[in-house]
Amino acid sequence: MPKIIIAQSKCKGCELCILACPKKNIRLSQKINKKGFHYVEIIDPDKCNACGLCFQVCPDVAIEIWK
Amino acid sequence: MKKLFFKPESLTDTDHKYCSGCGHGIVHRLVAEVIDELGIREKTIGIAPVGCAVFAYDYWNFDVTEASHGRPPAVATGIKRFLPDRVVFTYQGDGDLAAIGMAETIHAANRGENITVIFINNAIYGMTTGQMAPTSLLGMKTTTSPFGRDAKLAGYPIRVGELLATLEGTTYLARCAVDSAKHVLEAKKAIKKAFEVQLAEKGYSLVEILSQCPPNWKMSVPESLEYVRKEMMTQFPLGVIKDKTKV
Ligand SMILES: Cc1ncc(C[n+]2csc(CCOP(=O)(O)OP(=O)(O)O)c2C)c(N)n1
Ligand code: SF4
Ligand SMILES: [Mg+2]
């Protein structure tokens, strides 16, 4: 199973990754980070297939993916 | 487990100061990945612009210097001629490259300087909060064109790539976007090609990247992506504009 790590403190909640994820597996958290943004979170880690499309569009390089 | 997607070595861990959804950060990462893949981190010198990317030297983990507004091609010319074994590139916005720096841009291209130019076209002056740029679209509302850009008053949006394609000195010119993962991957290919042209000493290369600026376009991030696709790409079509390495 792939491991996807999102650096919450770097995320600015732009939602580009939410739009890019083909599995619709990313959402905005109800919580906000120190920058004042609702950061993104993975909905179901088991559904991630490590395609990396979220990583490709992230302007803040806040996503890291292992497999 | 293997790391599949991660921050390239050529990027520092410094948080970007860019607005939420801004295209600059994506392009910074692409440049860094290409430099890592080509193994040229130790011999690359970047030239940061005046504009939102003014702090690019904090984000890239290789040598970066700063030029005054519009002058990166002149600074790049000096560095590359003095240190021809280095890989030299400029990173410039549309205000920097196509307004105040248009003379430097055209003459460096016309001389066929062996440098690479990464050109962020967001059709606006981002840093100074949204004035009209030479690339602003007709009808586009900016702080200096509150009723929309009027060709009678302000002329037409300049297609920089096509303009430079007429100069014999240019070798590789392409236009990309960072509105979707597919286009991001295409942009990376074009950036890599541009650096390869320089490494092969084949002359001037430029990659123009259509980039969203949601706050100054007064749009949400999804709206700004639609604007890139529907409006920007109509005026500024994507693709390779010129490739002299193929002839
Ligand atoms: C000589 C000079 N003139 C004007 C300015 C003010 N100024 C700072 S950034 C900028 C325009 C930036 O727009 P662009 O190059 O498109 O970069 P962006 O912020 O959109 O990425 C201007 C006019 C300056 N810093 N120096
Ligand atoms: S003003 Fe525009 S170009 Fe500048 S950081 Fe914000 S989104 Fe990016
Ligand atoms: Mg600009």
Side-chain angles (χ1 to χ4, degrees):
Chain A
M1 192 180 74
K3 192 166 91 182
I4 172 160
I5 304 166
I6 298 175
Q8 293 175 353
S9 66
K10 282 189 179 286
C11 178
K12 298 191 189 121
C14 70
E15 305 184 35
L16 279 172
C17 59
I18 296 180
L19 297 168
C21 177
K23 308 241 168 204
K24 306 215 178 313
N25 196 24
I26 310 178
R27 70 178 169 214
L28 278 185
S29 167
Q30 294 293 317
K31 297 190 196 121
I32 56 170
N33 62 15
K34 278 194 186 143
K35 288 197 172 89
F37 292 107
H38 287 277
Y39 52 83
V40 295
E41 59 190 17
I42 298 295
I43 298 168
D44 178 2
D46 291 341
K47 255 170 66 185
C48 173
N49 64 355
C51 71
L53 296 185
C54 55
F55 171 90
Q56 295 301 340
V57 296
C58 179
D60 294 286
V61 203
I63 300 173
E64 191 176 284
I65 303 174
W66 295 69
K67 194 172 179 178
Chain B
M1 260 197 169
K2 223 179 90 201
K3 236 187 202 180
L4 281 187
F5 300 97
F6 51 91
K7 178 186 79 60
E9 192 187 2
S10 287
L11 273 188
T12 65
D13 202 33
T14 308
D15 289 5
H16 297 157
K17 291 187 177 78
Y18 301 113
C19 308
S20 174
C22 173
H24 273 298
I26 303 175
V27 183
H28 284 9
R29 195 200 89 237
L30 294 181
V31 169
E33 283 184 351
V34 164
I35 286 172
D36 281 6
E37 285 170 21
L38 294 172
I40 53 174
R41 195 178 73 82
E42 301 271 340
K43 60 169 185 175
T44 296
I45 303 174
I47 294 122
V50 171
C52 285
V54 69
F55 297 118
Y57 50 75
D58 280 341
Y59 309 139
W60 278 318
N61 188 21
F62 46 77
D63 287 340
V64 183
T65 186
E66 182 70 53
S68 46
H69 202 20
R71 312 311 180 223
V75 173
T77 298
I79 295 175
K80 184 72 186 185
R81 286 186 178 204
F82 194 67
L83 300 168
D85 59 325
R86 308 303 158 92
V87 179
V88 180
F89 78 96
T90 73
Y91 184 100
Q92 303 173 258
D94 39 29
D96 192 270
L97 180 144
I100 193 168
M102 191 56 134
E104 280 76 6
T105 295
I106 288 189
H107 288 291
N110 191 47
R111 294 190 304 268
E113 297 295 341
N114 191 31
I115 60 170
T116 299
V117 175
I118 306 297
F119 168 36
I120 302 295
N121 179 0
N122 57 10
I124 205 142
Y125 288 12
M127 185 191 216
T128 44
T129 65
Q131 293 78 12
M132 182 171 49
T135 44
S136 296
L137 303 183
L138 288 182
M140 194 170 175
K141 287 187 179 154
T142 71
T143 57
T144 47
S145 60
F147 305 109
R149 181 177 186 162
D150 176 1
K152 274 202 196 107
L153 211 61
Y156 297 86
I158 298 177
R159 294 188 188 93
V160 170
E162 286 81 346
L163 182 72
L164 297 182
T166 65
L167 303 174
E168 281 162 52
T170 55
T171 303
Y172 178 75
L173 305 165
R175 188 181 290 114
C176 310
V178 288
D179 62 300
S180 64
K182 176 173 170 276
H183 286 150
V184 168
L185 289 164
E186 286 170 8
K188 180 172 170 184
K189 270 196 201 137
I191 292 170
K192 193 162 191 178
K193 169 79 184 180
F195 277 99
E196 283 167 348
V197 165
Q198 182 180 162
L199 285 165
E201 295 179 26
K202 290 196 171 147
Y204 184 95
S205 54
L206 175 143
V207 181
E208 174 174 340
I209 293 149
L210 306 182
S211 179
Q212 54 276 8
C213 177
N216 284 309
W217 293 357
K218 310 272 185 281
M219 291 176 196
S220 68
V221 175
E223 283 167 354
S224 75
L225 301 177
E226 275 309 298
Y227 190 79
V228 170
R229 289 170 197 146
K230 293 221 172 85
E231 309 294 335
M232 297 274 284
M233 287 181 196
T234 307
Q235 174 68 21
F236 304 113
L238 302 188
V240 176
I241 298 162
K242 179 175 177 179
D243 186 355
K244 250 184 14 190
T245 66
K246 287 236 167 89
V247 289

